[in-house]
Structures are given as C-alpha cells and as structure tokens.
C-alpha cells in the first residue's frame, strides 16, 4: 500500500504533458455468455471506443470521438477493419496456443495491450505492444531491437515465428513510431476541451457495518491525477489507512476510496479526523470532517429489519461483481504486467 501511495504522489507531481493511446484486446475461450473477442481504446485513461465479436462495428464512447469519426470516415473505416482482423488473429492464436499447450478444456484468455505515449512538451514518443496469456505476461515487442521477447518458454515457438515475420515487424515499427502518435496528437487536439477539463468529485463517507472501517469515497473527478488522504488534528495520517487505486467510471470520470480503521479510536476522538481530496492543477482541496451523522451506510440492524442481511449480501455480491469486472480491465500501473488488479 505504501508504494501505491507513492505512486499517487508521483502521479500528482508529474505534469499533465504525457498523453497516451492504449488499445486493450481480449480473446476468451470457454467462457460462456461473454463475446469471444472484446476490444476497447483509451485516450488519456478515458475509454473512447469499444468493439466486440458480437457487435462487430466499433462504437465511439464519447461525444467528441463520435464527432471526430464523423469528420474522419476513413479513420473509422480503419477501426472497423482492425476490429475484424484482430478478432480473427486472436481467435487463430488462442486456438493455436490451446492446441500447442494441450489445453483441450477450461477457460483461457489471451490479452494484448498496445499503444503509444506522447510527451507534448519534449515531443518524445514511446510505443508498446505486449501480450498476456491466462493472466501472465506472454510476449512483448522490443521496438529498439525489433524482436519479440518473452519470459516464458511456452511462448518461444510464437517468438520464433513472429521474429521471422519481417513484414509484420516493419508494420509494427511504423505503427508505433508514426501512425499511433500522429493519431494520438489529433485525438488530443480534437478532444482537448474534454480531455483537459477538470471536474471535482462528490465526496462521501461510507461504512458497511458499524465496526467496519470508514471509507472516504470520491467519485466523478477528472483527470485521474488526484490525491486523497486522511488527516488527524490537521496532519496527514497513514496509520490504519488503506488506500484504494484510482478506478475509472463508465462516464469517463474516476473514483477513489481511502479507508480508515477506527476500531481503536474512541468515539469522542472521531472529530479530530478529516479526509482531504486534492485534484492536480486545482488549488482548492475538498475537506470532509469525520462526522458520524454524515456517514452513509446500507447497514440495517438485524433487529430493526430482518431482510437487511439479505439486502446486504446482494449489495456485497453486486459490489464484488463490479470490482471483478473493473479488476479484469485495470492495467496494473505499478508493475506493468498481466496480473489481475488488486481489488482487495
Ligand atoms: C501434449 O500431449 C502430447 C500427447 O499426449 C505429448 O506428447 C506432448 O508432449 C504434450 N505437450 C505439452 C506441451 O505438454
Ligand atoms: C481494524 O483494526 C483492528 C485492530 O486495531 C483489527 O483487529 C481489525 O481487523 C481491523 N479491521 C480491518 C477491516 O482491517
């Protein structure tokens, strides 16, 4: 959790000049009721597009992206083709892998994260393309040497085959050095009033049961460069505190929670605590005093309302489901690997 907090601090102090375009592609096999291929695109950590093997035609996810695609129909056409080509490519690869690894049954997942970053101050660009299989790093493109690298012996056959495909490597190089950053610059320019806005969150205090930690929850902020922490007597307080990660909301804004375990704090000392939210680039902080009367909870004492327990379980299950779905798609910033995000 310490590293996470440092990471938040780092995000906070780093400037707003880095932009990114990331594509997340996922093929599954043996997962019922889930499209066998799903892809989505993010610009500056906001989802801008989606396609899957059922809908086939990519869907813009923000108003400005829809306008951009209407203005650039040939670019939209490119995404329509990529969705279909990638679907077939992923399907062939997951089938090939299952066969080669003797995996005749069970659920399998092949993922790719690729894209580019552009520093609008230095002009530096950086491309990446890496695959994960069944939740672990599988193979990645090294753009310096223009070869595929892998930590896994299972991927060695793939590496040899892909290293031999010089045309594809050259396409990759062109894509990551020119095509991707050029389009990223156009997207950022076009969407700047949306991407460079700031939005403050609503902050609430939440608690599952009277003995649970109190969660300070901020939702609806933008961009994802924010800090939240608890204070005691006006000083930053890190003891018995659990920092959550910044998570995306469906509308392109973000949320975060920081939990404070109060089990060893006397009730009369609660008023010494407050929770501070700070959005990078915005001077004002949002300070929320720890006030018992302001805490929101779904908890109903069993003696008051016997169905409360059932409601609680349903809410907990729904929450778990949301966390799992979010977790599946969160790219771990702190170790850049295909490991499931920490959803606690
Ligand atoms: C797959 O199964 C075949 C036959 O059962 C065996 O010869 C081969 O070594 C297995 N391959 C792997 C990667 O386990
Ligand atoms: C809160 O702290 C107490 C002891 O100080 C500990 O027993 C309890 O497990 C903690 N609760 C959580 C949810 O971490």
């Amino acid at each position: 959790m310490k590293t996470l907090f440092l990471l938040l601090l780092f995000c906070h102090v780093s400037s707003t000049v880095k932009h990114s375009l990331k594509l997340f592609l996922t093929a599954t096999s043996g997962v019922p009721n889930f499209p066998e291929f799903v892809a989505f695109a993010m610009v500056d950590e906001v989802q801008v597009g989606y396609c899957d093997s059922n809908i086939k035609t990519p869907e813009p996810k923000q108003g400005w992206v829809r306008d951009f695609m209407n203005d650039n129909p040939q670019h939209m056409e490119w995404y329509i083709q990529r969705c279909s080509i990638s679907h077939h490519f992923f399907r062939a690869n997951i089938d090939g892998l299952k066969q080669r690894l003797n995996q005749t049954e069970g659920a399998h997942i092949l993922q790719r994260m690729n894209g580019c970053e552009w520093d609008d101050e230095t002009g530096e660009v950086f491309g990446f393309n890496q695959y994960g299989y069944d939740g672990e790093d599988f193979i990645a493109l090294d753009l310096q040497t223009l070869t595929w690298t892998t930590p896994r012996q299972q991927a060695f056959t793939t590496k040899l085959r892909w290293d031999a495909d010089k045309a594809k490597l050259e396409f990759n190089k062109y894509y990551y050095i020119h095509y991707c950053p050029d389009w990223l610059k156009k997207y950022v320019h076009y969407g700047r009033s949306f991407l460079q806005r700031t939005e403050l969150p609503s902050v609430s205090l939440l608690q599952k049961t009277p003995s649970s930690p109190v969660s300070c929850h901020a939702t609806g902020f933008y961009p994802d460069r924010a800090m939240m922490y608890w204070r005691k007597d006006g000083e930053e307080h890190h003891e018995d505190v659990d920092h959550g990660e910044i998570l995306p909301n469906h509308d392109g804004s973000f949320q975060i929670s920081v939990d404070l375990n109060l089990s060893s704090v006397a009730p009369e000392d609660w008023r010494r605590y407050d929770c501070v939210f700070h959005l990078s680039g915005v001077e004002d902080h949002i300070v929320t005093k720890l006030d018992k009367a302001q805490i929101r909870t779904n908890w109903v004492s069993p003696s008051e309302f016997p169905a409360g327990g059932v409601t609680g379980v349903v809410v907990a299950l729904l929450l778990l489901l949301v966390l799992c779905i979010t977790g599946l798609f969160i790219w771990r910033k702190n170790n850049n690997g295909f490991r499931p995000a920490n959803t606690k």
Side-chain angles (χ1 to χ4, degrees), residues 4 25 47 64 67 82 89 118 126 133 154 157 160 176 205 207 209 223 233 235 258 264 286 288 297 312 325:
L4 191 63
L25 297 86
Q47 191 186 349
W64 67 269
D67 294 346
R82 292 317 295 179
F89 175 78
W118 160 55
F126 168 73
Y133 186 58
Q154 290 175 327
T157 314
L160 292 180
Y176 293 108
L205 300 174
Q207 196 179 27
T209 73
D233 300 329
E235 300 272 328
V258 182
S264 50
I286 300 177
T288 310
T297 182
I325 292 170

Side-chain angles (χ1 to χ4, degrees), residues 15-253:
S15 57
T16 62
V17 293
K18 269 245 169 77
H19 299 281
S20 64
L21 169 60
K22 292 179 187 171
L23 304 173
F24 294 83
L25 297 86
T26 302
T28 52
S29 161
V31 181
N33 305 320
F34 193 76
E36 69 176 17
F37 175 72
V38 170
F40 58 95
M42 315 262 283
V43 170
D44 291 0
E45 310 300 330
V46 174
Q47 191 186 349
V48 294
Y50 173 87
C51 85
D52 68 36
S53 45
N54 297 338
I55 64 165
K56 294 189 170 69
T57 303
E59 288 175 350
K61 283 292 177 195
Q62 307 292 340
W64 67 269
V65 184
R66 204 162 294 125
D67 294 346
F68 182 89
M69 292 301 173
N70 286 339
D71 288 353
N72 297 274
Q74 74 296 346
H75 192 56
M76 184 65 188
E77 194 53 46
W78 189 83
Y79 275 108
I80 295 173
Q81 283 179 18
R82 292 317 295 179
C83 184
S84 156
I85 292 170
S86 302
H87 174 203
H88 293 298
F89 175 78
F90 267 71
R91 197 194 165 140
N93 275 286
I94 202 167
D95 287 349
L97 276 170
K98 274 168 55 189
Q99 205 166 27
R100 194 145 48 71
L101 304 175
N102 281 349
Q103 295 165 331
T104 48
E105 49 194 64
H108 298 282
I109 178 164
L110 178 64
Q111 288 165 284
R112 177 170 91 195
M113 188 193 70
N114 66 308
C116 54
E117 285 179 356
W118 160 55
D119 187 320
D120 75 8
E121 211 155 67
T122 64
E124 241 177 312
V125 296
F126 168 73
F128 44 87
N129 183 0
Q130 47 199 114
Y131 287 81
Y133 186 58
D134 286 348
E136 287 183 33
D137 290 342
F138 191 69
I139 194 166
L141 179 64
D142 180 340
L143 277 164
Q144 299 296 320
T145 59
L146 216 57
T147 52
W148 293 92
T149 60
T150 176
R152 288 174 71 181
Q153 210 200 329
Q154 290 175 327
F156 205 68
T157 314
T158 309
K159 171 190 158 52
L160 292 180
R161 202 151 39 83
W162 289 7
D163 275 348
D165 190 348
K166 297 293 179 217
K168 186 178 159 190
L169 283 169
E170 285 302 323
F171 170 80
N172 265 294
K173 185 172 164 184
Y174 186 81
Y175 178 83
Y176 293 108
I177 292 171
H178 299 289
Y179 201 84
C180 184
D182 285 355
W183 282 106
L184 172 58
K185 287 172 200 173
K186 290 190 175 115
Y187 299 156
V188 169
H189 184 75
Y190 200 96
R192 68 181 170 246
S193 61
F194 178 84
L195 293 168
Q196 291 172 10
R197 75 198 192 280
T198 51
E199 260 174 55
L200 289 172
S202 61
V203 179
S204 358
L205 300 174
L206 309 172
Q207 196 179 27
K208 286 198 192 87
T209 73
S211 58
S212 307
V214 172
S215 182
C216 184
H217 179 75
T219 185
F221 60 89
Y222 185 91
D224 65 338
R225 288 178 291 273
M227 266 174 77
M228 194 157 75
Y229 52 90
W230 282 96
R231 284 191 314 199
K232 182 183 180 187
D233 300 329
E235 300 272 328
E236 258 183 67
H237 179 81
H238 299 295
E239 227 170 278
D240 297 319
V241 170
D242 195 2
H243 283 270
E245 295 184 45
I246 294 181
L247 300 173
N249 286 325
H250 284 297
D251 62 0
S253 68

Side-chain angles (χ1 to χ4, degrees), residues 5-16 224-229 246 278-282 285:
F5 191 66
L6 290 176
L7 185 79
L8 295 180
L9 280 172
F10 174 75
C11 288
H12 166 66
V13 293
S14 73
S15 57
T16 62
D224 65 338
R225 288 178 291 273
M227 266 174 77
M228 194 157 75
Y229 52 90
I246 294 181
H278 180 219
L279 190 63
S280 168
V282 175
H285 294 45

